[in-house]
Amino acid sequence: MRGNTKLWNGNWDHAQEHIDTLVHQAEIHSLARFIAPGRARRGELAILRGDPGEGVEDLRTSLAAIHAIGYELLTTEFNISLARGLKAVGNGGEALDLVERTIRNVALKGDTLYLPELLRVKGDVLLATSRDHEAAEKCFRQSIEASRFYGAHAWELRTANDLAALMVATRRISEANKLLKPVFDLFLEGADTADLKRARVLLTG
């Protein structure tokens, strides 16, 4: 269940079917270590589909179960989604605290592969809670740098979208295009993920 890209490509109906199947199989075969992560995936999808309240509740419950059984493989990934959900329901302070704790944890454990997305979400939360453009931009730039270090082009594009949107909002349109276009061009023509659609709108808007 690690790295479930179906959640991020915009085909949420397909993702829902996939997650429901995984949870059902885990339940009928009493695979406890997979039930809670499967339900957490449902929470992630609920947040993406615009129901953050339900998603936050599912993630909180699932993470508690995950901690109880000691199956921590996906904790960082689910914390990222929970932070996004908390921001969406207006709990920005809690979201920022969770992201910062998770950043410290990945540094201690060496699980820094998730650092690009954590920094992106931190920047997004800072924008929502404090409107601190300078601090948010610093997080976005750190995220892009970390993405490049790991060769994580998908995360680089997602953060470049956020930073470009911030630049457009502050009337730095030329700078936004200069940032985003090279990242967008890393992807093959014909790809149609949600992040690529957003990049295309930013570049043509």
Side-chain angles (χ1 to χ4, degrees):
M1 301 182 71
R2 193 174 179 86
N4 191 343
T5 57
K6 291 181 177 64
L7 286 175
W8 306 109
N9 64 12
N11 189 350
W12 293 332
D13 289 338
H14 188 193
Q16 186 74 64
E17 292 175 7
H18 180 71
I19 292 166
D20 289 345
T21 298
L22 287 173
V23 173
H24 177 68
Q25 291 297 319
E27 289 174 341
I28 64 174
H29 293 293
S30 300
L31 301 174
R33 64 184 297 179
F34 296 116
I35 294 173
R39 291 173 177 169
R41 289 291 188 205
R42 284 178 175 169
E44 289 183 305
L45 183 57
I47 291 167
L48 289 169
R49 300 188 85 157
D51 190 357
E54 178 181 340
V56 165
E57 184 62 30
D58 284 346
L59 280 163
R60 285 193 195 277
T61 302
S62 299
L63 278 165
I66 286 168
H67 297 325
I69 64 177
Y71 185 64
E72 302 288 350
L73 183 65
L74 297 169
T75 299
T76 300
E77 190 174 340
F78 292 147
N79 279 349
I80 291 170
S81 293
L82 178 56
R84 295 175 70 247
L86 288 167
K87 187 212 76 169
V89 298
N91 292 347
E94 186 180 355
L96 186 59
D97 179 66
L98 176 60
V99 170
E100 290 179 338
R101 283 191 287 110
T102 306
I103 288 173
R104 291 194 294 270
N105 286 340
V106 299
L108 286 172
K109 296 176 182 177
D111 190 20
T112 52
L113 180 62
Y114 288 100
L115 188 57
E117 182 67 355
L118 282 163
L119 288 166
R120 185 193 72 82
V121 172
K122 181 178 178 180
D124 190 39
V125 172
L126 284 169
L127 274 182
T129 57
S130 67
R131 308 302 300 173
D132 189 337
H133 290 189
E134 185 176 346
E137 181 165 337
K138 181 179 179 180
C139 286
F140 292 150
R141 291 191 181 279
Q142 289 173 337
S143 173
I144 289 172
E145 183 178 338
S147 298
R148 290 172 179 170
F149 178 81
Y150 289 111
H153 296 316
W155 275 343
E156 183 181 356
L157 176 64
R158 189 173 301 167
T159 305
N161 277 337
D162 285 355
L163 181 51
L166 175 57
M167 289 173 172
V168 169
T170 53
R171 299 183 181 180
R172 296 148 61 195
I173 297 172
S174 177
E175 190 177 351
N177 287 339
K178 184 177 179 180
L179 167 83
L180 186 55
K181 185 65 164 60
V183 186
F184 180 78
D185 287 344
L186 291 172
F187 294 83
L188 295 174
E189 292 185 10
D192 206 26
T193 67
D195 290 327
L196 284 168
K197 288 178 181 177
R198 185 185 179 202
R200 196 174 293 114
V201 169
L202 284 165
L203 287 167
T204 59

